[in-house]
C-alpha cells in the first residue's frame, strides 16, 4: 500500500517526470522505483567501461611513449593549453597533490562519442535523476560495443555481468 506521505518526501518536482508519464500515483512510484534499479545497473555497467577503457588507454599510450623514448605518455603527448591544464589537474588529483605516488590507472582521459554518451547517463544515474525516458538499450549497446573495440573478452564479461538487460525487461508499464 502506497503511503500518502511519500510524494511529499520525494517532492512533487522530483516526481514530475514520473507523474506526467503515468496514469496514477501508484504507477508513478513504481516507475520511480524501477528508475532506481535502472540507475544502479547503469552505474555497474559504466563502471566496467570506465575501468577497462582507462586502463587500456594507459597501457597503449605507455607503449606508444616507450617507442619514442619518453618515460611516460604524459611527457610524450602534445596537448593544447587546456589539455595540459586538464592533465595537470588529473595528475594532481590522482597523486593527492604529490602526497602519494602517481599511478597511471588513476588518471582518466576521455574518449569522445561513446564515452560522452555513457558519461552523461552515468551522471544522471549517480545523481538520482530520471533516466526512465532515455533509450537505455542504446546505452547498453554503446557500452558493449565500446568494450568490444577494446577487447572482445571485456564486452563478453560486461554482457554477462550487467543487470541492465534484466532491469529493462522488468520495466513497469506506464
Amino acid at each position: 500500500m502506497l503511503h500518502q506521505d511519500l510524494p511529499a518526501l520525494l517532492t512533487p518536482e522530483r516526481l514530475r517526470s514520473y507523474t506526467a508519464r503515468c496514469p496514477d500515483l501508484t504507477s508513478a512510484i513504481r516507475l520511480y522505483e524501477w528508475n532506481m534499479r535502472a540507475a544502479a545497473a547503469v552505474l555497474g555497467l559504466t563502471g566496467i567501461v570506465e575501468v577497462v577503457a582507462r586502463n587500456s588507454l594507459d597501457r597503449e599510450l605507455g607503449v606508444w611513449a616507450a617507442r619514442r623514448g619518453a618515460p611516460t605518455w604524459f611527457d610524450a603527448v602534445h596537448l593544447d593549453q587546456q589539455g595540459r591544464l586538464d592533465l595537470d589537474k588529473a595528475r594532481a588529483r590522482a597523486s593527492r597533490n604529490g602526497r602519494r605516488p602517481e599511478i597511471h590507472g588513476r588518471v582518466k582521459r576521455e574518449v569522445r562519442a561513446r564515452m560522452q554518451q555513457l558519461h552523461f547517463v552515468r551522471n544522471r544515474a549517480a545523481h538520482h535523476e530520471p533516466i526512465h525516458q532515455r533509450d537505455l538499450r542504446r546505452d547498453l549497446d554503446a557500452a558493449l560495443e565500446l568494450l568490444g573495440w577494446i577487447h572482445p573478452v571485456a564486452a563478453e564479461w560486461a554482457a554477462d555481468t550487467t543487470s541492465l538487460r534484466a532491469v529493462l525487461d522488468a520495466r513497469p508499464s506506464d
Side-chain angles (χ1 to χ4, degrees):
M1 184 89 141
L2 179 64
H3 195 281
Q4 293 305 314
D5 291 335
L6 194 53
L9 295 170
L10 296 175
T11 75
E13 293 80 17
R14 178 164 290 279
L15 287 176
R16 186 165 291 124
S17 72
Y18 304 94
T19 57
R21 191 167 181 114
C22 296
D24 56 56
L25 185 57
T26 301
S27 298
I29 295 297
R30 256 187 274 166
L31 184 57
Y32 184 87
E33 292 166 348
W34 176 86
N35 193 89
M36 290 188 302
R37 289 188 294 280
V42 163
L43 289 175
L45 177 63
T46 57
I48 291 170
V49 172
E50 182 178 341
V51 169
V52 169
R54 179 181 57 227
N55 292 337
S56 296
L57 283 169
D58 183 66
R59 183 176 48 256
E60 294 302 316
L61 287 169
V63 169
W64 174 83
R67 285 194 309 254
R68 283 156 182 74
T72 70
W73 65 262
F74 304 138
D75 301 316
V77 174
H78 298 289
L79 300 171
D80 62 11
Q81 183 178 7
Q82 185 60 53
R84 179 53 60 189
L85 289 172
D86 289 345
L87 182 57
D88 290 344
K89 183 177 166 183
R91 290 176 89 175
R93 194 172 45 237
S95 67
R96 294 197 176 136
N97 294 317
R99 291 189 303 271
R100 69 178 183 191
E102 187 176 275
I103 297 174
H104 286 232
R106 292 191 189 120
V107 179
K108 176 180 162 192
R109 291 177 58 82
E110 285 189 0
V111 175
R112 298 251 178 219
R114 303 287 169 126
M115 289 299 285
Q116 285 180 330
Q117 175 184 347
L118 296 172
H119 181 77
F120 178 81
V121 71
R122 174 206 151 308
N123 283 350
R124 298 282 299 178
H127 294 284
H128 311 287
E129 297 293 331
I131 58 172
H132 63 91
Q133 295 175 341
R134 280 189 64 84
D135 184 349
L136 295 174
R137 286 192 194 279
R138 185 191 69 199
D139 294 325
L140 172 61
D141 291 343
L144 296 177
E145 185 173 34
L146 177 64
L147 288 168
W149 292 340
I150 296 169
H151 198 288
V153 170
E156 291 172 25
W157 177 57
D160 290 343
T161 303
T162 186
S163 61
L164 186 54
R165 190 170 283 115
V167 170
L168 292 172
D169 291 344
R171 181 187 172 115
S173 59
D174 300 341

